[in-house]
Amino acid sequence: MDARHGSFPEDNVKDRDSPTALRDIAFGSFAGMVSEVFEYPFDLAKVRLQSQVLNNTARFGGPLDCLTQTWKTEGVRGLYRGLPVPMFGSMAETAGHFVTYSQLQNLVRWSSARPASEDLSIAELGLAAGGAGFLTSFILTPIELVKCKMQVQMLSTPFDITAIPRKSFHPPLSLSSNPASFPLNPTRQHSMASLAAVRKTLPGPFTIVANILRTSGAGGLWLGHTGTMFRETGGTAAWFTSKEFFASFLLSRRSPDPAPSSNYLQPSRGNLTLAPWESALSGALAGALCVLALYPADTVKSAIQTAEELRPPTAFLPARQMKDHMIASHTFWETAKAVYRMQGWRGLYAGCGMTVARAIPSSGIVFVVYDGLSQRFG
């Protein structure tokens, strides 16, 4: 092997260019886990900002305000509240994306009777990537539903659980507790002991799943799936195809071949493979485009999935706003219209800037880890 370029003997190229499903799952899972630890506080802030788009009594002025308030009132544990669920979700998401993307590429070749070593066009890669996102969305929706509910728990009783005095706080017995039974304007007088007591009363992931199954049946676990499906299908297509494009561009600058492969997962670029900084840069740019592709769909999904927890007492709402909050428990399109009526495009892109800023290093980490493991052990 050429240590400088990471090339392999010709008789091993085919084996190394055909990643197995097991390897994709393992490498993708590890890459997702590493990136999730880095990005989780920003994801929590994003969901909390998205969850307030149908509420005129907004708790946070922006991403930094949300992170600052969370840090002051809930500490480090608050910033990482519910981490095990998204940790598992990120592993499933990244592994699902890579393995289905690879297998769908093989399906495209098989359908057109082409050899496994032949590279696909950007359009064909986009089709495979979109299909990978579509299939993965069915796994992600239940995971994200539980994650989003846990991320807003500390805000849901009724508006800011950490602002309720110890003596006046009565923890909810279930997720369906009536927020009208709690004071709307409590003074901020609580101790860390009372905060710890509050945390103990909040339902964990298994209790949340049990409550959903009891009240809505198995179908309730896929609440907000339309938003997840749109986001994952379009976003994953943008993610992989832009990564392919940027990786090919970087390699073309030092490749002796004037037309290097467009497919970094099956690189037929002579003796060249991606350097770590090239994986990081192309992955970072791809992450930004992935978020921007269909961000409003993610906002609507989060609004639907957290509407029950954050819906204010209807007695305090005007008729139009009451209708909008009731809509948020129903269809994707009606919820999108309600968000637009109340806050316009600004509401649909709530938290987008921070999410893009988060996705740039996070996506770079994913591809550095995945590409590095593939080149080292593939």
Side-chain angles (χ1 to χ4, degrees):
M1 183 179 75
D2 186 331
R4 185 167 61 92
H5 294 307
S7 60
F8 299 93
E10 185 67 27
D11 57 351
N12 289 334
V13 169
K14 183 176 180 179
D15 291 338
R16 294 184 181 275
D17 285 353
S18 301
T20 65
L22 183 61
R23 191 190 73 188
D24 285 331
I25 292 172
F27 294 173
S29 296
F30 186 75
M33 179 181 66
V34 172
S35 68
E36 186 62 32
V37 173
F38 164 80
E39 69 174 32
Y40 187 73
F42 305 99
D43 181 68
L44 179 138
K46 178 207 73 170
V47 171
R48 289 187 170 186
L49 288 170
Q50 290 175 329
S51 69
Q52 68 180 19
V53 294
L54 288 178
N55 189 346
N56 283 336
T57 56
R59 304 165 186 80
F60 309 112
L64 292 179
D65 181 51
C66 181
L67 289 171
T68 301
Q69 286 197 46
T70 301
W71 169 268
K72 288 181 178 179
T73 59
E74 301 174 48
V76 175
R77 290 183 62 183
L79 290 173
Y80 283 91
R81 176 155 187 79
L83 178 61
V85 174
M87 179 78 76
F88 172 77
S90 182
M91 293 171 64
E93 177 182 15
T94 311
H97 282 154
F98 278 105
V99 70
T100 52
Y101 179 48
S102 179
Q103 296 306 310
L104 286 174
Q105 287 184 71
N106 293 334
L107 180 61
V108 170
R109 292 189 183 90
W110 174 83
S111 64
S112 55
R114 284 184 281 177
S117 59
E118 183 174 338
D119 297 321
L120 301 180
S121 67
I122 287 293
E124 290 171 325
L125 292 173
L127 179 63
F134 174 79
L135 294 175
T136 306
S137 70
F138 289 88
I139 302 173
L140 286 180
T141 299
I143 296 172
E144 293 212 354
L145 176 63
V146 175
K147 180 202 75 170
C148 288
K149 286 182 178 295
M150 293 193 69
Q151 287 176 328
V152 300
Q153 280 179 331
M154 298 297 284
L155 312 177
S156 62
T157 329
F159 296 117
D160 187 350
I161 201 171
T162 63
I164 299 176
R166 181 76 173 107
K167 294 181 180 180
S168 64
F169 175 70
H170 301 283
L173 297 178
S174 70
L175 293 178
S176 60
S177 298
N178 179 12
S181 61
F182 298 94
L184 289 178
N185 296 300
T187 57
R188 286 184 174 274
Q189 298 173 353
H190 64 276
S191 63
M192 293 305 295
S194 67
L195 181 58
V198 167
R199 286 197 183 103
K200 291 180 181 180
T201 67
L202 298 174
F206 295 108
T207 303
I208 290 175
V209 171
N211 286 335
I212 293 171
L213 292 174
R214 183 174 61 251
T215 58
S216 305
L221 293 173
W222 277 267
L223 177 67
H225 177 67
T226 301
T228 309
M229 181 180 65
F230 284 155
R231 184 198 69 190
E232 290 300 310
T233 302
T236 305
W239 192 45
F240 277 116
T241 55
S242 56
K243 171 61 165 65
E244 307 281 11
F245 175 81
F246 291 126
S248 288
F249 173 78
L250 292 172
L251 286 180
S252 69
R253 296 172 61 85
R254 59 186 175 92
S255 172
D257 183 355
S261 167
S262 63
N263 187 351
Y264 85 97
L265 284 179
Q266 296 187 340
S268 56
R269 300 179 176 96
N271 291 331
L272 297 180
T273 56
L274 289 171
W277 74 267
E278 292 172 324
S279 291
L281 178 58
S282 54
L285 294 173
L289 292 176
C290 172
V291 171
L292 291 171
L294 283 165
Y295 188 83
D298 186 61
T299 298
V300 175
K301 177 214 58 108
S302 295
I304 292 173
Q305 292 181 331
T306 59
E308 181 181 0
E309 281 69 31
L310 300 185
R311 184 180 295 122
T314 56
F316 295 90
L317 295 177
R320 165 62 74 177
Q321 193 176 347
M322 185 186 304
K323 180 181 179 182
D324 287 339
H325 279 278
M326 297 303 293
I327 284 173
S329 298
H330 295 92
T331 70
F332 174 86
W333 296 113
E334 289 301 318
T335 303
K337 292 176 184 177
V339 172
Y340 185 78
R341 278 196 301 267
M342 295 187 68
Q343 298 197 28
W345 287 105
R346 183 177 180 179
L348 289 171
Y349 280 90
C352 181
M354 180 188 62
T355 306
V356 171
R358 176 202 78 183
I360 290 174
S362 175
S363 181
I365 290 171
V366 166
F367 280 106
V368 166
V369 173
Y370 182 87
D371 290 349
L373 289 174
S374 295
Q375 293 174 17
R376 177 66 179 84
F377 300 105

